[in-house]
């Protein structure tokens, strides 16, 4: 247990040092490093893993498609943390092994990725970057004894999921607040919102933006709820133009 705590401390200090140099990438690594190490010292993680040749850490998220930018940075960050821990000797001499799956930010593909990581690869901790995928696998992970971690989102809805599901990101609502603040700062009113109604995360962001602008006396003039596979925006754009939004 002492060695695991030592790994936790070294990862924590290392990440803070990187934070001063690399900005948000270091911040992401800081969160991921603490989360991985914390899980390894809790009873929630399988202690039996310490008797194996390696502790398998799963990761699923978008590495291709329109949302790839969300996954690429996240995967890079967790790789940096795991490499650092392994260079320090691993956990009680046991190395961490990262296994990643591309789910293209699609809930169905996220479920498939979970199945592979949990049943085939035998991962005991899985980072799930796809918001809808987290909700689709949370109950199953609880039954399987697997810890799910969302490194991108955090809100009350995630907090209501089974205890084996954790989030280590800033509040999801903060994204909507930041966008609304920028709209008000730049005086880009009246405004319009296009959002993917099939994505629960985007619904949260849309609600927060609308509420904040409404409270500021600058309500959203036009909203367009679209599907993730929408490619023709002409009708919505025409309505936006007629609304005379900025």
């Amino acid at each position: 247990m002492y060695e695991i705590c030592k790994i936790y401390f070294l990862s924590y200090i290392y990440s803070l040092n990187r934070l001063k140099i690399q900005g948000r990438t270091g911040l992401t690594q800081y969160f991921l490093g603490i989360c991985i190490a914390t899980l390894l010292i809790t009873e929630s993680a399988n202690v039996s893993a310490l008797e194996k040749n390696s502790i398998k850490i799963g990761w699923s998220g978008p590495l291709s498609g329109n949302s790839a930018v969300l996954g690429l940075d996240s995967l890079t960050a967790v790789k940096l943390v795991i490499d650092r821990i392994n260079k320090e000797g691993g956990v009680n001499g046991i190395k961490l092994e990262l296994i990643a799956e591309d789910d293209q930010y699609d809930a169905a593909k996220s479920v498939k990725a979970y199945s592979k990581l949990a049943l085939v690869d035998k991962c005991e901790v899985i980072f799930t970057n796809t918001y809808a995928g987290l909700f689709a696998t949370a109950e199953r992970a609880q039954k399987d004894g697997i810890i799910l971690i969302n490194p991108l989102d955090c809100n009350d809805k995630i907090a209501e999921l089974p205890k084996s599901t954790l989030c280590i990101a800033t509040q999801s609502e903060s994204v909507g607040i930041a966008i609304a603040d920028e709209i008000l700062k730049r005086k880009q009113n009246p405004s319009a919102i296009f959002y993917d109604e099939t994505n629960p995360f985007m619904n949260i962001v849309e609600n927060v933006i609308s509420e904040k602008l409404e409270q500021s006396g600058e309500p959203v003039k036009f909203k367009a709820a679209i599907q993730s596979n929408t490619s023709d925006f002409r009708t919505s754009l025409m309505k936006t133009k007629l609304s005379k939004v900025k």
Side-chain angles (χ1 to χ4, degrees):
M1 182 63 70
Y2 169 76
E3 288 299 323
I4 299 177
C5 290
K6 179 181 177 182
I7 294 293
Y8 170 87
F9 178 74
L10 289 172
S11 176
Y12 175 82
I13 296 300
Y14 175 70
S15 298
L16 282 180
N17 288 334
R18 291 184 62 86
L19 175 60
K20 297 176 183 178
I21 300 173
Q22 297 188 356
R24 293 186 64 182
T25 299
L27 180 60
T28 303
Q29 181 183 352
Y30 165 68
F31 281 128
L32 292 174
I34 287 184
C35 189
I36 291 175
T38 300
L39 290 174
L40 293 174
I41 63 173
T42 62
E43 295 180 358
S44 298
N46 283 332
V47 179
S48 60
L50 300 179
E51 301 172 358
K52 303 177 182 179
N53 293 325
S54 66
I55 298 174
K56 295 183 178 180
I57 306 286
W59 183 99
S60 69
L63 296 176
S64 62
N66 295 332
S67 301
V69 65
L70 297 175
L72 292 172
D73 285 346
S74 174
L75 182 58
T76 297
V78 74
K79 282 181 177 179
L80 287 171
V81 173
I82 288 179
D83 286 346
R84 176 65 182 185
I85 293 176
N86 285 338
K87 286 180 181 179
E88 294 292 338
V91 179
N92 280 357
I94 307 297
K95 294 299 180 70
L96 303 183
E97 179 183 353
L98 178 65
I99 303 173
E101 293 291 327
D102 179 13
D103 66 14
Q104 298 184 326
Y105 209 72
D106 179 83
K109 292 179 181 178
S110 183
V111 172
K112 291 182 179 179
Y114 171 87
S115 295
K116 179 182 178 298
L117 293 169
L119 303 179
V120 179
D121 300 315
K122 305 297 182 183
C123 295
E124 297 176 86
V125 178
I126 299 176
F127 287 95
T128 302
N129 291 260
T130 299
Y131 190 85
L134 184 76
F135 286 84
T137 56
E139 291 289 345
R140 184 174 167 186
Q142 176 81 354
K143 295 177 181 178
D144 293 340
I146 292 175
I147 295 175
L148 288 185
I149 309 167
N150 187 320
L152 296 181
D153 314 291
C154 204
N155 53 55
D156 292 339
K157 291 185 178 180
I158 293 179
E160 293 172 357
L161 291 174
K163 293 181 179 180
S164 61
T165 299
L166 309 174
C167 57
I168 55 173
T170 186
Q171 283 285 86
S172 302
E173 290 82 358
S174 65
V175 176
I177 293 173
I179 294 174
D181 285 342
E182 194 66 18
I183 291 173
L184 294 171
K185 178 182 178 181
R186 298 190 180 191
K187 298 181 179 180
Q188 295 177 323
N189 304 103
S191 59
I193 298 178
F194 284 58
Y195 67 99
D196 179 3
E197 64 179 349
T198 65
N199 186 333
F201 171 75
M202 295 311 300
N203 281 272
I204 292 176
V205 173
E206 182 275 318
N207 286 332
V208 172
I209 295 174
S210 297
E211 289 177 5
K212 186 167 181 59
L213 292 180
E214 179 76 32
Q215 293 170 0
S216 301
E218 298 287 356
V220 175
K221 192 72 175 291
F222 175 75
K223 296 182 185 180
I226 60 176
Q227 301 289 317
S228 58
N229 58 355
T230 300
S231 58
D232 187 349
F233 299 92
R234 286 175 295 184
T235 300
S236 295
L237 288 173
M238 182 59 70
K239 291 181 179 179
T240 301
K241 185 176 181 179
L242 293 174
S243 300
K244 296 181 180 181
V245 301
K246 294 183 180 180

